[in-house]
Amino acid sequence: MKCTMLDEPLTEAERFPLLTERSRARLRWLQQHENAPRWTYQCGERLDAAGLADVQAFAARQRLERCGWKFGQAPAWVPDFIERCRREVPFYRDLLSRDPLATCNRDDLRREPWSFVPDWADASELIVFRTSGTTGNLIPIPAHPVAPARYLPLFQSALAAYGVSLIGGDRVSVIQVAAQVRTYTFASISSYLDGAGFAKINLNPADWTRSDDRVRFFDACAPELVTGDPFALEQLAALPVQARPKGILSSATLLLPALRDRLQQRFGCPVIDVYSMNETGPIAFARADSDADEHEVLPHNLFVEILDESGRPVPPGQRGQIVVTGGVNPFLPLVRYGTGDFGALSFHGDVPRLVGVERRRPVVFRATDGAPVVSISVTVALFSLPLPFFSLHQARDGRLTFRTRCDAMVEDEVRHALMGLFGATPLRIEQVPWEVAWSGKSIQYTRDAEDTQ
Amino acid sequence: MSPTGPQLNPLLHRLANCPPDFLLGPDEIDVTALACDHFRALGLAIPDPKQRRLLAELPSESLRLVSIVLWLLRDDWFVVRPQLAEATWKFLQSDSLTKLAKLVRAEAIVNDPDRREELVRLCLKGLGLYPEGETPEYAADRLTTLDSVERERVIRQTRKAEARARELREAMARRRAEEAAARYSPE
Amino acid sequence: MPVARADNLLSEWSAQWPAALAVWSRFVQLHEPTWCFAEAEESAAQLSGSFAMIRLVDHSVVISLRQVVELGLQGFAKEILAHEIGHHVYCPADLTDNARMLARMRVGLPTKEHLAPFIANLYSDLLINDRLQRAARLDMSGVYLQLGSECRDQLWTLYMRTYEILWKLDRGQLARGEIDGRLNQDAQLGARLIRNYAKDWLDGAGRFAALCLPYLLADEAARMQKLMAVWSDIRCAGKGAFPDGLTEIDDGELTGAIHPADDAELSGVDASAADGSKGKAQQTGTKTAKNYRQPIDYAEVLKAAGVNADPADVTARYYRERAIPHLIPFPVRRLPRATDPLPEGLDVWDVTTPLEQIDWLGTLLNSPHVIPGVTTRQREFGTSPGADPETIPVDLYLGVDCSGSMGNPAHHLSYPVLAGAIIALSALRVGSRVKVVLSGEPGRTISTDGFERDAATVLKTLTSYLGTGYSFGIHRLSETFHPDARISSRVKPRPVHILIVSDNDMFSMLDSESKKRLGWDVARQSLELAGGGGTFVLELPEQVRGSSWSQNTDGYLGRIAEMGWNVAIVSSMEELIAFARQFSRGRFGGR
């Protein structure tokens, strides 16, 4: 009987269907390393043989097919893709029969995410991601395990542009660093990378037993690739780690050129900014030979358009909303999905680049004791509460104002959660009118500008 | 439309107390004969053979309903109004009755309060009447709400729309789905 | 509120209380509501946002007459009072049923579980109001007309249309929003549901939630929530009490949350493969094995019911409830030759010793003021040869592996923790004391201060979470069992049985060295000092035993047994529970 309440946690075999003796040994090595952090979570790739084959086929196509198109001409695969979506996906069946050129957006996803899942999808393979970005409330994203796994071939593409390749096998290939108050950390392996290890770690000292564990563990792992958001990468750079990755990928928020250069200096390897999104997967990456503000479209199966308010494509160089078709997630195919981000396109031959993408900037608050609290930590702390919308503002004197709409019990939980992050900072919670709460506004983080050092 | 018809509740009671004999199928009772009895009770001549044949050729589930309707319309209120006989005869062979017969079994018509009310109202409508004390709008609205044909259509549509959505919603709510899979970079 | 007006209103409403009670039954007894006239009084009575509130634990009703006036409901005294009484005598009426209703609704609201309390309020209101309007001929529809006539929210429209159908009102009399074919049929289904499940309302709860769900997707019926916030009278119904029996999932809970359109009885439309419906709810002829919800869902249900307890208490409560059906008399030490006790001397009485052992005469001689534990004396009994065997309780040292591979017991059921709870509670019940040590080393450890008598402390410690390291730190035993521990020369230390729950990672831990001592040595010495025997319970799944990668399992097991420890192997978590029950039946022989 498939029932919610009888949910057992996954077994190791279910988390890692393709575990071999060697990769299990690598997993144990990560989990039980004497300098390992206090892991807060367990998570695996959940790929079976068919899944791995899919990712490898995706990787082959990514290597062989040129990603690109000329302005005004969609790539050859697009019309078929859209037609299949119209036939097989409830949401598009409805939308595209009314208007074949319609766009959709985050609100549609928020309202009924399940309507984006194709008819042929097997519900038992469904997994769910929660968006943790700073725009929009937390939406559950239906996905298939191949979706996150397909990121690896895309990363390989980006790294190849810098002459870097991953070997995988009997080593730790990737480490993702975070620097939050609390987050999921876990050890995993990737069968696509031939059983290589992967770990997500949190640089917050509270997650580690001894003060030098972070450095020792990182150096012991000596990953080929490091990923993370700019704030976490900056924290990593400040630690006396000696390991030298072959490449660093930065995502989630805007990577400022100064930090990029500093990281490159510190680690002696390419530092690549990746523009990516939960719903779409990686969209574009910064090439070595491009302007700081130019990102080349990365996946071979992503079509990017820039549309104006009425949904019409604008000529290259002109700004508009970034709208995508395609994507890595077979359980969430996208047809003219408005990202809510703005930028322009420029073409070098048939290679499209996004120019001047307005990216979210992280806001770093201060706790009572002066410790930094990144905005994403707040999102994560409030993750499980039913808040339709909220905004958090910190004044220069540290006072916090939280605006949302909820009942008294939830308000107590909000207070509790924020106290847990910020300590005894004065906090005022304001209830906004219902109409505002559901008008589609996004999560907003702001703070009074500090005096520049 | 003629002015008020009979009171609703007595008819609902009458239908609830329909004798089991009237529920037997056309194999066991001669529905045509029953219909002729009805005419005689109204003091009228029985319909001619051609008419009687038309009735007899109705599908068997329709005939089951016909016998129940005949029970209902043997209520005193109708018996003293032979002028309704012609409309009655037409109603027995009507589309609306046939459609209802296809969707709802005879036992349910008699046992389920909503179906009883639906049949009574359908009969009254077929005779150009509506229940005493109600407005025509109310009576029509009430019948629409109870209408089995409409209900069937909407229910089937609802089921189709809901089934897959529910399956996916439940899948998404499961803890195993929430654990998701390892992601290699932050978003 | 002006005093004179307040007084008038109060006497009017107060006068209606007996009549409102009588609407339900001559025999219902509830004390009069707490009447509030000002915001300060409302806060004191914990009434916030709603003009009325009930609490099941003390059968209380709170009414804010100030808000009643503000909302224009002064003329509905009997209606509103009878309605609130209805929550006490009809639905939910009972703390456990209240929680069960919420649990069932959560099943029917995937992705919107947090709205269960809101939907529960709507459902119970429908049930109560239908009774009051039809049987008692009260003007409930008047109340709704007054409250929210112009709202056009889809869910509000559905709700009002349901009342219209139930009470044979004209379309549009209560429901002002748009009513299409679908909504009309849904309201019809809602009305049938209320009538069909009037007696067994718990069984209809999940269906009602499933019916409402499509109307909650777009914006969670925000405007209606705002509207109904002023009459969210059962939001805190469960406050102040801990309902029992909620670890178990009722039979109907999982199968009952189908959309009424899928229920052939309610919809009147048989299932057919074409429309993909699941047809009638599955009724199994035989009673299925009991299903239990996960600790995290247990916590969510209690939260929805308004129980605002410390999460650690909730978790401990969960494991206690799961453990209790398995409790069995804990082993005791039987001495082969017992003697009649001869009073020998006096020793300071320890507060954990049973009261009857205190020598009161000796205590009073010591000091005229009796301070337990300090001035009280316990007569020390030696032995003289006697006839009956004597039994003394054996204390329990319970060491549980809480390393990284074990999940958080507050989220998912942890079998080692449950087994520990069964054994610990069994021990406490016969007067043994229990020391709980959780450990995940290298990393952290949590333990009770010492050997405890208090079940709550033991359970709370046992259900804490570490998630560190890779195994139970066997070296920790030396902190409790060391030769230099101060022991009163006259009080013989009670024997302690050491029970360690772990898995094959224990082997590496035994091999490891800490403070210059091997795990093996610590284990051996601790066993000797404890004096009540020792058991390792190790979870060793088949595939681990068999694989060439694994350590030399048999070798290790042999060495452990040689030291004098018992070893119990379980190959699955369920077997761990079976072990716990068998263990409790065992005996301790002469170590």
Side-chain angles (χ1 to χ4, degrees):
Chain A
M1 171 162 58
K2 283 201 285 199
C3 290
T4 330
M5 298 297 157
L6 293 183
D7 261 337
E8 299 292 332
L10 292 165
T11 62
E12 191 171 80
E14 287 166 316
R15 291 193 174 108
F16 305 100
L18 298 174
L19 205 60
T20 61
E21 276 198 27
R22 176 160 67 74
S23 56
R24 182 189 287 111
R26 175 59 58 191
L27 182 62
R28 294 275 176 271
W29 184 91
L30 280 169
Q31 286 169 339
Q32 299 171 0
H33 195 277
E34 59 171 337
N35 303 115
R38 300 199 203 104
W39 304 110
T40 62
Y41 199 54
Q42 295 188 72
C43 192
E45 58 167 12
R46 298 179 71 171
L47 281 185
D48 57 14
L52 177 60
D54 170 286
V55 178
Q56 285 164 339
F58 182 87
R61 290 195 302 274
Q62 177 71 14
R63 277 192 302 274
L64 300 173
E65 289 172 20
R66 274 308 295 137
C67 158
W69 59 88
K70 289 191 164 32
F71 173 70
Q73 296 171 6
W77 58 266
V78 170
D80 279 341
F81 176 79
I82 295 184
E83 175 55 26
R84 267 204 332 271
C85 288
R86 194 192 60 75
R87 275 198 324 261
E88 299 166 357
V89 179
F91 178 78
Y92 296 120
R93 248 200 310 273
D94 192 39
L95 182 76
L96 297 178
S97 58
R98 283 183 276 130
D99 174 8
L101 293 177
T103 57
C104 56
N105 61 25
R106 215 175 174 88
D107 270 343
D108 298 314
L109 199 50
R110 179 175 55 77
R111 210 176 40 244
E112 349 171 48
W114 42 82
S115 64
F116 285 81
V117 178
D119 293 335
W120 47 259
D122 183 348
S124 67
E125 294 182 335
L126 196 75
I127 58 176
V128 174
F129 288 111
R130 306 251 160 211
T131 62
S132 57
T134 54
T135 54
N137 18 53
L138 288 170
I139 306 172
I141 308 260
H144 186 281
V146 299
R150 284 176 176 183
Y151 283 35
L152 293 173
L154 292 176
F155 290 165
Q156 284 176 316
S157 253
L159 291 167
Y162 287 76
V164 173
S165 60
L166 299 177
I167 306 176
D170 194 8
R171 56 170 35 78
V172 176
S173 271
V174 186
I175 288 207
Q176 182 187 150
V177 293
Q180 296 170 26
V181 177
R182 263 179 296 280
T183 187
Y184 291 144
T185 59
F186 56 88
S188 177
I189 56 98
S190 161
S191 55
Y192 172 75
L193 291 175
D194 200 22
F198 164 62
K200 179 176 171 207
I201 63 176
N202 185 5
L203 298 177
N204 184 343
D207 264 30
W208 305 79
T209 314
R210 285 173 293 264
S211 56
D212 56 356
D213 273 345
R214 297 177 291 179
V215 174
R216 285 183 192 270
F217 184 71
F218 186 87
D219 283 341
C221 290
E224 301 184 87
L225 171 66
V226 172
T227 64
D229 63 273
F231 183 73
L233 292 171
E234 192 174 23
Q235 303 298 306
L236 181 68
L239 294 176
V241 295
Q242 291 176 345
R244 288 269 177 285
K246 298 179 189 170
I248 296 179
L249 290 176
S250 166
S251 60
T253 55
L254 180 64
L255 176 68
L256 294 166
L259 177 58
R260 182 200 58 195
D261 293 340
R262 198 145 44 88
L263 290 170
Q264 250 159 219
Q265 269 263 341
R266 167 77 175 83
F267 290 102
C269 69
V271 176
I272 309 171
D273 182 34
V274 176
Y275 170 50
S276 178
M277 195 176 277
N278 245 299
E279 306 92 286
T280 64
I283 298 177
F285 73 105
R287 290 194 72 105
D289 60 355
S290 66
D291 249 319
D293 227 358
E294 274 192 353
H295 292 71
E296 180 175 307
V297 174
L298 179 51
H300 64 279
N301 68 340
L302 194 72
F303 175 50
V304 182
E305 299 172 275
I306 306 288
L307 305 181
D308 64 15
E309 301 92 31
S310 1
R312 283 189 306 261
V314 304
Q318 200 174 309
R319 294 181 70 73
Q321 194 191 169
I322 301 173
V323 171
V324 304
T325 300
V328 296
N329 186 353
F331 281 11
L332 185 63
L334 300 168
V335 175
R336 301 193 105 206
Y337 176 80
T339 60
D341 287 341
F342 289 79
L345 270 177
S346 85
F347 287 84
H348 299 239
D350 60 358
V351 176
R353 291 190 185 176
L354 283 167
V355 181
V357 178
E358 273 168 29
R359 302 273 293 280
R360 315 148 215 158
R361 289 159 179 268
V363 175
V364 183
F365 300 106
R366 297 269 148 213
T368 319
D369 59 1
V373 179
V374 196
S375 50
I376 192 177
S377 291
V378 179
T379 311
V380 169
L382 300 177
F383 163 108
S384 60
L385 300 180
L387 300 168
F389 145 82
F390 64 82
S391 72
L392 179 65
H393 176 82
Q394 184 167 47
R396 195 167 304 178
D397 61 4
R399 242 192 287 258
L400 294 167
T401 306
F402 188 85
R403 303 178 72 233
T404 187
R405 183 79 219 174
C406 63
D407 69 22
M409 284 189 80
V410 175
E411 193 179 302
D412 272 342
E413 291 183 62
V414 170
R415 192 171 291 276
H416 186 78
L418 291 177
M419 296 285 96
L421 285 178
F422 287 92
T425 311
L427 164 68
R428 187 174 78 238
I429 297 183
E430 293 177 0
Q431 297 284 337
V432 309
W434 288 100
E435 303 74 49
V436 174
W438 279 101
S439 63
K441 293 193 76 164
S442 47
I443 298 174
Q444 290 176 354
Y445 294 114
T446 50
R447 52 190 306 230
D448 287 343
E450 287 184 324
D451 302 320
T452 48
Q453 270 83 334
Chain B
M1 264 236 189
S2 80
T4 33
Q7 286 187 353
L8 186 67
N9 282 336
L11 290 177
L12 293 177
H13 279 133
R14 184 178 174 84
L15 196 50
N17 292 322
C18 181
D21 286 350
F22 282 80
L23 295 170
L24 299 170
D27 296 332
E28 312 213 33
I29 51 177
D30 186 341
V31 181
T32 319
L34 212 57
C36 293
D37 277 347
H38 187 85
F39 272 71
R40 283 192 206 100
L42 263 51
L44 298 171
I46 64 175
D48 64 49
K50 180 157 158 251
Q51 289 292 315
R52 295 205 303 269
R53 226 187 344 267
L54 281 174
L55 186 73
E57 279 163 5
L58 286 176
S60 70
E61 58 273 3
S62 290
L63 287 172
R64 274 177 200 262
L65 260 199
V66 165
S67 45
I68 295 173
V69 170
L70 287 171
W71 160 258
L72 180 69
L73 297 181
R74 200 63 90 85
D75 182 87
D76 287 337
W77 195 94
F78 297 98
V79 170
V80 302
R81 289 168 174 80
Q83 63 273 30
L84 295 172
E86 199 185 317
T88 304
W89 187 251
K90 283 213 181 74
F91 175 67
L92 293 180
Q93 299 169 64
S94 68
D95 242 2
S96 58
L97 197 63
T98 308
K99 281 194 187 140
L100 179 61
K102 279 213 187 72
L103 292 173
V104 188
R105 283 177 339 234
E107 289 78 13
I109 296 270
V110 164
N111 293 329
D112 185 309
D114 284 340
R115 302 286 73 76
R116 281 200 294 271
E117 192 180 331
E118 181 184 0
L119 182 62
V120 170
R121 288 184 181 276
L122 199 62
C123 291
L124 292 182
K125 181 176 171 194
L127 300 179
L129 305 166
Y130 52 90
E132 180 188 305
E134 294 184 3
T135 64
E137 294 79 21
Y138 178 79
D141 182 58
R142 188 74 192 157
L143 182 55
T144 309
T145 303
L146 295 167
D147 176 14
S148 287
V149 174
E150 166 76 354
R151 186 165 43 85
E152 168 95 0
R153 182 186 71 81
V154 174
I155 296 278
R156 292 217 185 271
Q157 236 175 37
T158 306
R159 280 185 185 165
K160 219 197 256 189
E162 285 300 302
R164 176 67 167 168
R166 191 179 50 239
E167 184 195 11
L168 290 171
R169 273 199 298 266
E170 283 172 5
M172 287 176 69
R174 251 174 253 140
R175 305 255 167 234
R176 328 175 110 234
E178 295 233 350
E179 193 191 280
R183 275 201 293 199
Y184 297 97
S185 65
E187 311 281 18
Chain C
M1 195 168 169
V3 175
R5 208 160 122 220
D7 280 346
N8 271 344
L9 196 59
L10 174 58
S11 51
E12 252 179 65
W13 278 58
S14 199
Q16 291 282 13
W17 182 249
L21 281 171
V23 158
W24 291 96
S25 151
R26 278 184 297 133
F27 305 108
V28 167
Q29 300 224 15
L30 282 175
H31 53 89
E32 249 199 56
T34 305
W35 309 102
C36 298
F37 302 92
E39 283 190 60
E41 291 171 3
E42 289 163 28
S43 300
Q46 296 175 15
L47 184 63
S48 69
S50 176
F51 75 83
M53 176 182 107
I54 68 128
R55 207 169 30 233
L56 290 167
V57 68
D58 57 2
H59 308 297
S60 63
V61 178
V62 182
I63 306 269
S64 160
L65 289 174
R66 174 188 77 84
Q67 287 194 58
V68 163
V69 170
E70 237 172 66
L71 295 164
L73 296 170
Q74 307 91 303
F76 294 102
K78 197 169 173 194
E79 280 77 10
I80 287 169
L81 294 175
H83 177 99
E84 300 308 324
I85 293 167
H87 281 307
H88 274 297
V89 307
Y90 176 34
C91 176
D94 172 79
L95 278 164
T96 306
D97 280 349
N98 183 42
R100 287 204 191 285
M101 168 170 61
L102 289 159
R104 283 165 190 247
M105 289 201 161
R106 285 172 58 86
V107 176
L109 296 169
T111 73
K112 298 290 181 192
E113 291 90 345
H114 59 279
L115 295 175
F118 168 56
I119 301 294
N121 219 130
L122 297 181
Y123 180 60
S124 52
D125 284 354
L126 268 167
L127 289 158
I128 291 169
N129 292 338
D130 194 38
R131 276 235 175 142
L132 294 179
Q133 177 99 353
R134 292 196 310 145
R137 302 201 188 291
L138 294 178
D139 184 18
M140 302 315 297
S141 50
V143 178
Y144 285 103
L145 267 175
Q146 177 60 32
L147 274 179
S149 41
E150 293 315 312
C151 180
R152 289 187 142 62
D153 209 307
Q154 279 289 281
L155 183 61
W156 176 258
T157 306
L158 172 69
Y159 190 56
M160 289 297 107
R161 182 73 189 131
T162 307
Y163 280 128
E164 283 176 358
I165 292 175
L166 281 169
W167 302 335
K168 305 214 202 295
L169 302 174
D170 281 339
R171 182 191 285 235
Q173 203 172 323
L174 288 178
R176 300 290 162 84
E178 204 189 295
I179 302 174
D180 66 5
R182 166 77 191 260
L183 193 144
N184 202 35
Q185 284 304 320
D186 279 350
Q188 172 70 348
L189 288 169
R192 274 178 82 89
L193 190 131
I194 296 298
R195 291 281 160 82
N196 276 26
Y197 288 97
K199 230 165 52 100
D200 302 308
W201 55 262
L202 198 54
D203 290 331
R207 286 165 170 75
F208 183 74
L211 183 70
C212 293
L213 180 59
Y215 297 86
L216 294 168
L217 295 179
D219 64 353
E220 297 193 355
R223 281 161 302 186
M224 180 176 179
Q225 284 198 60
K226 173 183 176 179
L227 188 55
M228 290 305 294
V230 303
W231 202 7
S232 51
D233 46 2
I234 62 167
R235 186 64 186 91
C236 301
K239 216 171 189 178
F242 232 121
D244 273 328
L246 284 164
T247 50
E248 215 177 297
I249 301 178
D250 291 345
D251 285 337
E253 192 177 308
L254 298 172
T255 52
I258 54 176
H259 194 281
D262 276 325
D263 183 347
E265 262 178 48
L266 285 177
S267 66
V269 177
D270 292 330
S272 83
D275 52 32
S277 86
K278 294 188 173 143
K280 209 158 144 86
Q282 307 304 330
Q283 304 286 341
T284 49
T286 57
K287 190 147 168 35
T288 48
K290 289 194 192 200
N291 293 318
Y292 294 93
R293 67 185 90 247
Q294 294 292 337
I296 191 165
D297 295 312
Y298 177 75
E300 292 290 334
V301 169
L302 288 184
K303 206 159 67 163
V307 177
N308 51 343
D310 176 5
D313 284 327
V314 173
T315 307
R317 182 72 174 235
Y318 175 89
Y319 282 92
R320 180 172 174 278
E321 209 177 280
R322 293 288 313 258
I324 287 203
H326 300 290
L327 296 196
I328 283 172
F330 191 70
V332 292
R333 166 71 59 80
R334 287 180 113 56
L335 299 184
R337 224 172 30 107
T339 52
D340 282 326
L342 299 168
E344 282 185 357
L346 295 173
D347 201 0
V348 176
W349 173 70
D350 162 39
V351 290
T352 60
T353 306
L355 217 53
E356 59 269 23
Q357 286 188 19
I358 300 176
D359 184 342
W360 286 107
L361 194 56
T363 297
L364 288 171
L365 286 174
N366 193 41
S367 153
H369 306 286
V370 178
I371 302 167
V374 176
T375 60
T376 48
R377 295 267 180 219
Q378 173 187 317
R379 185 158 284 258
E380 233 337 87
F381 291 103
T383 61
S384 62
D388 294 294
E390 188 186 294
T391 62
I392 53 173
V394 178
D395 287 340
L396 176 70
Y397 176 102
L398 180 60
V400 181
D401 180 348
C402 282
S403 57
S405 45
M406 311 291 208
N408 186 345
H411 291 165
H412 290 286
L413 177 66
S414 159
Y415 283 97
V417 170
L418 180 57
I422 293 170
I423 294 173
L425 288 176
S426 301
L428 290 168
R429 211 164 61 154
V430 300
S432 299
R433 299 174 305 171
V434 177
K435 178 165 183 172
V436 174
V437 178
L438 299 186
S439 145
E441 320 264 359
R444 292 162 59 212
T445 180
I446 297 176
S447 73
T448 52
D449 284 337
F451 285 84
E452 296 282 337
R453 273 266 160 69
D454 177 44
T457 312
V458 167
L459 281 176
K460 238 170 137 169
T461 308
L462 184 56
T463 58
S464 313
Y465 177 54
L466 293 177
T468 60
Y470 68 90
S471 182
F472 180 86
I474 201 74
H475 301 82
R476 293 263 169 225
L477 285 173
S478 60
E479 289 167 13
T480 304
F481 303 105
H482 46 97
D484 317 322
R486 241 168 35 89
I487 303 166
S488 155
S489 54
R490 293 218 229 148
V491 178
K492 224 157 79 151
R494 283 155 62 125
V496 178
H497 186 87
I498 308 178
L499 183 80
I500 310 280
V501 182
S502 184
D503 58 17
N504 56 295
D505 288 325
M506 175 53 66
F507 301 147
S508 328
M509 184 56 79
L510 286 165
D511 281 341
S512 71
E513 202 180 285
S514 166
K515 297 182 185 152
K516 299 208 173 37
R517 299 188 70 199
L518 271 183
W520 292 104
D521 298 327
V522 175
R524 188 192 318 272
Q525 189 184 55
S526 304
L527 187 65
E528 281 165 17
L529 291 170
T535 308
F536 276 106
V537 183
L538 303 176
E539 194 221 345
L540 299 181
E542 284 301 326
Q543 63 261 34
V544 169
R545 271 182 261 176
S547 95
S548 57
W549 171 85
S550 80
Q551 306 111 318
N552 175 9
T553 306
D554 288 334
Y556 279 101
L557 295 178
R559 275 182 75 181
I560 292 173
E562 264 169 42
M563 280 197 301
W565 284 77
N566 298 325
V567 181
I569 307 290
V570 295
S571 54
S572 73
M573 291 305 200
E574 285 84 350
E575 284 186 23
L576 195 51
I577 304 305
F579 160 78
R581 303 186 63 177
Q582 281 162 11
F583 173 87
S584 301
R585 287 198 182 93
R587 295 244 172 281
F588 296 126
R591 277 207 77 92

